[in-house]
Amino acid sequence: MADVLPLVEARLRTALGEPDARAAVTFLGTDRIEVLRFTDGDVVRYATLGMSAQPMADPTAVLADPVKGPRAELVLSVRHGIADTDKVLRPLVVLAASPQVEGVIVAPGASLDVGDPLWPGAPFTSVLVAESGGLVEDLELDAPADPVRFLPLLPMTANEAAWKRVHGAQALQERWLTHGTDLRDPARKSVSLD
């Protein structure tokens, strides 16, 4: 099968425009993962490039299938100029490398935690993985490969993450919607969880 990353980058450029910055990080024993930055008015979007090079494998499988299995890239959107969000590059790569390093399958509804603030002073150490298909359309690949999904990341405060573990992702998203929470605000407070 052809290298999927040029196709993934082309899909990102079609949906988000030309990136105004890019950085790459490689951890020992993992493939190189890049983060592309796209600025659109007062919103900056960070998209990973490299996570989808290999399908995510079931950690209980004896052998990983080199073709079949879910593929994804991560997209984080935040308001520009409120916080030093460019420091999110390393945490994003940590999250994107988690399928290779920890054998997890990143899917909508999952919580991912980096253990440290996503950027300096951020009230968030974790994100909720949202459904794909909105901002960047899924990228269909030749059969039998699964499509590449572009999964939005929604930063969660520690209280929101704890509440989500009890009540579920859907309930947290409904609470955000009910309270008109600006999920792109990099300095926002936790939604009311009473």
Side-chain angles (χ1 to χ4, degrees):
M1 191 170 120
D3 184 6
V4 302
L5 296 185
L7 301 173
V8 169
E9 184 169 352
R11 176 58 53 95
L12 286 168
R13 287 172 183 263
T14 299
L16 305 176
E18 286 300 309
D20 58 9
R22 67 191 306 149
V25 179
T26 305
F27 297 113
L28 187 62
T30 66
D31 295 330
R32 168 186 160 117
I33 296 176
E34 291 185 272
V35 177
L36 309 182
R37 184 182 72 189
F38 302 86
T39 304
D40 181 16
D42 72 335
V43 174
V44 62
R45 293 187 170 90
Y46 302 93
T48 63
L49 178 62
M51 181 178 173
S52 62
Q54 302 295 326
M56 292 180 268
D58 180 345
T60 62
V62 177
L63 287 174
D65 190 310
V67 178
K68 291 184 192 173
R71 294 177 191 255
E73 296 291 352
L74 308 176
V75 181
L76 174 70
S77 300
V78 292
R79 296 217 179 281
H80 186 58
I82 298 172
D84 188 8
T85 56
D86 280 350
K87 297 283 196 295
V88 77
L89 301 181
R90 189 167 181 80
L92 266 181
V93 171
V94 167
L95 297 176
S98 61
Q100 289 181 56
V101 175
E102 299 172 23
V104 299
I105 294 180
V106 177
S111 299
L112 304 174
D113 196 317
V114 293
D116 290 312
L118 294 176
W119 50 83
F124 321 105
T125 63
S126 63
V127 294
L128 174 64
V129 181
E131 291 287 341
S132 67
L135 188 62
V136 183
E137 283 184 42
D138 295 346
L139 173 65
E140 296 294 330
L141 300 175
D142 294 337
D146 290 19
V148 176
R149 304 203 184 284
F150 298 88
L151 301 171
L153 300 180
L154 309 174
M156 292 188 293
T157 65
N159 287 344
E160 290 169 340
W163 197 86
K164 182 253 175 197
R165 280 192 293 276
V166 174
H167 300 281
Q170 184 66 37
L172 179 58
Q173 288 179 302
E174 287 171 8
R175 185 152 295 252
W176 281 335
L177 192 59
T178 301
H179 288 82
T181 306
D182 181 3
L183 297 174
R184 294 179 179 169
D185 181 352
R188 74 173 179 83
K189 304 289 185 230
S190 183
V191 71
S192 172
L193 299 171
D194 298 335

mmCIF file of all heavy atoms in Angstrom, residues 65-90:
data_model
loop_
_atom_site.group_PDB
_atom_site.id
_atom_site.type_symbol
_atom_site.label_atom_id
_atom_site.label_comp_id
_atom_site.label_asym_id
_atom_site.label_seq_id
_atom_site.Cartn_x
_atom_site.Cartn_y
_atom_site.Cartn_z
ATOM 1 N N ASP A 65 -1.921 -6.245 12.384
ATOM 2 C CA ASP A 65 -2.185 -6.257 10.949
ATOM 3 C C ASP A 65 -1.556 -5.002 10.348
ATOM 4 O O ASP A 65 -1.846 -3.894 10.802
ATOM 5 C CB ASP A 65 -3.695 -6.279 10.699
ATOM 6 C CG ASP A 65 -4.038 -6.535 9.241
ATOM 7 O OD1 ASP A 65 -3.467 -5.852 8.367
ATOM 8 O OD2 ASP A 65 -4.881 -7.405 8.975
ATOM 9 N N PRO A 66 -0.709 -5.124 9.330
ATOM 10 C CA PRO A 66 -0.049 -3.944 8.761
ATOM 11 C C PRO A 66 -0.953 -3.076 7.889
ATOM 12 O O PRO A 66 -0.575 -1.966 7.522
ATOM 13 C CB PRO A 66 1.085 -4.545 7.934
ATOM 14 C CG PRO A 66 0.599 -5.912 7.560
ATOM 15 C CD PRO A 66 -0.274 -6.366 8.701
ATOM 16 N N VAL A 67 -2.159 -3.565 7.560
ATOM 17 C CA VAL A 67 -3.051 -2.808 6.669
ATOM 18 C C VAL A 67 -4.373 -2.462 7.345
ATOM 19 O O VAL A 67 -4.792 -1.309 7.344
ATOM 20 C CB VAL A 67 -3.313 -3.590 5.365
ATOM 21 C CG1 VAL A 67 -4.279 -2.829 4.467
ATOM 22 C CG2 VAL A 67 -2.012 -3.870 4.634
ATOM 23 N N LYS A 68 -5.040 -3.465 7.905
ATOM 24 C CA LYS A 68 -6.360 -3.243 8.509
ATOM 25 C C LYS A 68 -6.218 -2.661 9.909
ATOM 26 O O LYS A 68 -5.255 -2.927 10.610
ATOM 27 C CB LYS A 68 -7.141 -4.545 8.599
ATOM 28 C CG LYS A 68 -7.579 -5.105 7.278
ATOM 29 C CD LYS A 68 -8.425 -6.330 7.526
ATOM 30 C CE LYS A 68 -8.668 -7.110 6.261
ATOM 31 N NZ LYS A 68 -9.351 -8.375 6.560
ATOM 32 N N GLY A 69 -7.236 -1.902 10.293
ATOM 33 C CA GLY A 69 -7.266 -1.313 11.628
ATOM 34 C C GLY A 69 -7.496 0.181 11.538
ATOM 35 O O GLY A 69 -7.250 0.804 10.501
ATOM 36 N N PRO A 70 -8.009 0.767 12.608
ATOM 37 C CA PRO A 70 -8.314 2.193 12.581
ATOM 38 C C PRO A 70 -7.055 3.053 12.422
ATOM 39 O O PRO A 70 -5.996 2.723 12.944
ATOM 40 C CB PRO A 70 -8.989 2.447 13.930
ATOM 41 C CG PRO A 70 -8.653 1.274 14.782
ATOM 42 C CD PRO A 70 -8.314 0.143 13.892
ATOM 43 N N ARG A 71 -7.212 4.131 11.669
ATOM 44 C CA ARG A 71 -6.135 5.112 11.485
ATOM 45 C C ARG A 71 -6.696 6.483 11.833
ATOM 46 O O ARG A 71 -7.852 6.772 11.534
ATOM 47 C CB ARG A 71 -5.647 5.140 10.040
ATOM 48 C CG ARG A 71 -4.955 3.870 9.591
ATOM 49 C CD ARG A 71 -4.579 3.969 8.121
ATOM 50 N NE ARG A 71 -4.143 2.703 7.593
ATOM 51 C CZ ARG A 71 -2.873 2.399 7.331
ATOM 52 N NH1 ARG A 71 -1.934 3.287 7.545
ATOM 53 N NH2 ARG A 71 -2.562 1.216 6.848
ATOM 54 N N ALA A 72 -5.857 7.310 12.429
ATOM 55 C CA ALA A 72 -6.354 8.631 12.824
ATOM 56 C C ALA A 72 -5.214 9.636 12.894
ATOM 57 O O ALA A 72 -4.047 9.278 13.011
ATOM 58 C CB ALA A 72 -7.049 8.554 14.183
ATOM 59 N N GLU A 73 -5.603 10.893 12.814
ATOM 60 C CA GLU A 73 -4.749 12.036 13.141
ATOM 61 C C GLU A 73 -5.560 12.890 14.106
ATOM 62 O O GLU A 73 -6.800 12.796 14.152
ATOM 63 C CB GLU A 73 -4.370 12.845 11.898
ATOM 64 C CG GLU A 73 -3.522 12.098 10.886
ATOM 65 C CD GLU A 73 -2.093 11.775 11.333
ATOM 66 O OE1 GLU A 73 -1.660 12.267 12.401
ATOM 67 O OE2 GLU A 73 -1.415 11.025 10.610
ATOM 68 N N LEU A 74 -4.882 13.708 14.894
ATOM 69 C CA LEU A 74 -5.521 14.528 15.923
ATOM 70 C C LEU A 74 -5.520 15.986 15.526
ATOM 71 O O LEU A 74 -4.537 16.477 14.946
ATOM 72 C CB LEU A 74 -4.774 14.346 17.248
ATOM 73 C CG LEU A 74 -4.572 12.899 17.701
ATOM 74 C CD1 LEU A 74 -3.728 12.850 18.967
ATOM 75 C CD2 LEU A 74 -5.905 12.200 17.905
ATOM 76 N N VAL A 75 -6.603 16.700 15.828
ATOM 77 C CA VAL A 75 -6.719 18.133 15.510
ATOM 78 C C VAL A 75 -7.188 18.872 16.761
ATOM 79 O O VAL A 75 -8.213 18.524 17.349
ATOM 80 C CB VAL A 75 -7.720 18.373 14.353
ATOM 81 C CG1 VAL A 75 -7.806 19.856 14.027
ATOM 82 C CG2 VAL A 75 -7.329 17.568 13.109
ATOM 83 N N LEU A 76 -6.424 19.881 17.145
ATOM 84 C CA LEU A 76 -6.760 20.721 18.300
ATOM 85 C C LEU A 76 -6.956 22.147 17.813
ATOM 86 O O LEU A 76 -6.075 22.695 17.136
ATOM 87 C CB LEU A 76 -5.632 20.667 19.334
ATOM 88 C CG LEU A 76 -5.772 21.612 20.530
ATOM 89 C CD1 LEU A 76 -6.903 21.164 21.442
ATOM 90 C CD2 LEU A 76 -4.463 21.688 21.303
ATOM 91 N N SER A 77 -8.097 22.761 18.146
ATOM 92 C CA SER A 77 -8.388 24.142 17.760
ATOM 93 C C SER A 77 -8.512 25.010 19.008
ATOM 94 O O SER A 77 -9.260 24.666 19.920
ATOM 95 C CB SER A 77 -9.713 24.218 16.985
ATOM 96 O OG SER A 77 -9.660 23.438 15.814
ATOM 97 N N VAL A 78 -7.758 26.114 19.048
ATOM 98 C CA VAL A 78 -7.809 27.041 20.181
ATOM 99 C C VAL A 78 -7.765 28.478 19.672
ATOM 100 O O VAL A 78 -7.320 28.743 18.555
ATOM 101 C CB VAL A 78 -6.650 26.802 21.188
ATOM 102 C CG1 VAL A 78 -6.805 25.483 21.904
ATOM 103 C CG2 VAL A 78 -5.303 26.882 20.508
ATOM 104 N N ARG A 79 -8.227 29.398 20.519
ATOM 105 C CA ARG A 79 -8.159 30.814 20.171
ATOM 106 C C ARG A 79 -6.715 31.285 20.277
ATOM 107 O O ARG A 79 -6.009 30.971 21.217
ATOM 108 C CB ARG A 79 -9.055 31.631 21.089
ATOM 109 C CG ARG A 79 -10.498 31.271 20.910
ATOM 110 C CD ARG A 79 -11.434 32.459 21.009
ATOM 111 N NE ARG A 79 -12.792 31.994 20.807
ATOM 112 C CZ ARG A 79 -13.332 31.716 19.626
ATOM 113 N NH1 ARG A 79 -12.629 31.870 18.545
ATOM 114 N NH2 ARG A 79 -14.574 31.284 19.523
ATOM 115 N N HIS A 80 -6.312 32.062 19.297
ATOM 116 C CA HIS A 80 -4.936 32.549 19.181
ATOM 117 C C HIS A 80 -4.709 33.770 20.073
ATOM 118 O O HIS A 80 -5.599 34.593 20.244
ATOM 119 C CB HIS A 80 -4.682 32.908 17.713
ATOM 120 C CG HIS A 80 -3.288 33.281 17.392
ATOM 121 N ND1 HIS A 80 -2.230 32.451 17.617
ATOM 122 C CD2 HIS A 80 -2.776 34.413 16.855
ATOM 123 C CE1 HIS A 80 -1.125 33.051 17.225
ATOM 124 N NE2 HIS A 80 -1.429 34.237 16.769
ATOM 125 N N GLY A 81 -3.533 33.866 20.672
ATOM 126 C CA GLY A 81 -3.125 35.074 21.378
ATOM 127 C C GLY A 81 -3.521 35.155 22.844
ATOM 128 O O GLY A 81 -3.177 36.123 23.513
ATOM 129 N N ILE A 82 -4.230 34.161 23.374
ATOM 130 C CA ILE A 82 -4.661 34.190 24.778
ATOM 131 C C ILE A 82 -3.637 33.481 25.661
ATOM 132 O O ILE A 82 -3.408 33.879 26.793
ATOM 133 C CB ILE A 82 -6.057 33.544 24.934
ATOM 134 C CG1 ILE A 82 -7.085 34.353 24.131
ATOM 135 C CG2 ILE A 82 -6.464 33.446 26.393
ATOM 136 C CD1 ILE A 82 -8.452 33.708 24.041
ATOM 137 N N ALA A 83 -3.001 32.436 25.125
ATOM 138 C CA ALA A 83 -2.015 31.655 25.878
ATOM 139 C C ALA A 83 -0.933 31.196 24.904
ATOM 140 O O ALA A 83 -1.103 31.263 23.685
ATOM 141 C CB ALA A 83 -2.685 30.456 26.536
ATOM 142 N N ASP A 84 0.172 30.720 25.439
ATOM 143 C CA ASP A 84 1.287 30.239 24.616
ATOM 144 C C ASP A 84 0.994 28.808 24.170
ATOM 145 O O ASP A 84 1.656 27.855 24.575
ATOM 146 C CB ASP A 84 2.594 30.327 25.410
ATOM 147 C CG ASP A 84 3.810 30.027 24.548
ATOM 148 O OD1 ASP A 84 3.654 29.907 23.307
ATOM 149 O OD2 ASP A 84 4.908 29.895 25.110
ATOM 150 N N THR A 85 -0.012 28.679 23.296
ATOM 151 C CA THR A 85 -0.470 27.347 22.892
ATOM 152 C C THR A 85 0.502 26.642 21.954
ATOM 153 O O THR A 85 0.367 25.436 21.744
ATOM 154 C CB THR A 85 -1.862 27.436 22.229
ATOM 155 O OG1 THR A 85 -1.803 28.352 21.135
ATOM 156 C CG2 THR A 85 -2.908 27.885 23.241
ATOM 157 N N ASP A 86 1.481 27.343 21.389
ATOM 158 C CA ASP A 86 2.454 26.658 20.536
ATOM 159 C C ASP A 86 3.262 25.630 21.313
ATOM 160 O O ASP A 86 3.873 24.740 20.724
ATOM 161 C CB ASP A 86 3.395 27.662 19.859
ATOM 162 C CG ASP A 86 2.764 28.316 18.637
ATOM 163 O OD1 ASP A 86 1.679 27.872 18.202
ATOM 164 O OD2 ASP A 86 3.349 29.282 18.111
ATOM 165 N N LYS A 87 3.248 25.706 22.629
ATOM 166 C CA LYS A 87 3.954 24.728 23.456
ATOM 167 C C LYS A 87 3.186 23.398 23.547
ATOM 168 O O LYS A 87 3.625 22.475 24.205
ATOM 169 C CB LYS A 87 4.178 25.290 24.873
ATOM 170 C CG LYS A 87 5.049 26.521 24.921
ATOM 171 C CD LYS A 87 6.505 26.173 24.761
ATOM 172 C CE LYS A 87 7.463 27.268 25.174
ATOM 173 N NZ LYS A 87 7.474 28.476 24.433
ATOM 174 N N VAL A 88 2.037 23.316 22.869
ATOM 175 C CA VAL A 88 1.237 22.088 22.880
ATOM 176 C C VAL A 88 1.832 21.030 21.945
ATOM 177 O O VAL A 88 1.386 19.885 21.945
ATOM 178 C CB VAL A 88 -0.241 22.382 22.493
ATOM 179 C CG1 VAL A 88 -0.388 22.583 20.987
ATOM 180 C CG2 VAL A 88 -1.169 21.286 22.981
ATOM 181 N N LEU A 89 2.852 21.384 21.185
ATOM 182 C CA LEU A 89 3.387 20.458 20.180
ATOM 183 C C LEU A 89 3.833 19.133 20.789
ATOM 184 O O LEU A 89 3.454 18.063 20.321
ATOM 185 C CB LEU A 89 4.553 21.111 19.420
ATOM 186 C CG LEU A 89 4.225 22.416 18.691
ATOM 187 C CD1 LEU A 89 5.444 22.944 17.973
ATOM 188 C CD2 LEU A 89 3.065 22.236 17.739
ATOM 189 N N ARG A 90 4.649 19.195 21.846
ATOM 190 C CA ARG A 90 5.147 17.950 22.450
ATOM 191 C C ARG A 90 4.005 17.123 23.049
ATOM 192 O O ARG A 90 3.921 15.909 22.783
ATOM 193 C CB ARG A 90 6.232 18.259 23.474
ATOM 194 C CG ARG A 90 6.944 17.021 23.973
ATOM 195 C CD ARG A 90 8.222 17.379 24.742
ATOM 196 N NE ARG A 90 8.919 16.206 25.209
ATOM 197 C CZ ARG A 90 9.703 15.450 24.474
ATOM 198 N NH1 ARG A 90 9.890 15.741 23.198
ATOM 199 N NH2 ARG A 90 10.297 14.396 24.985
#
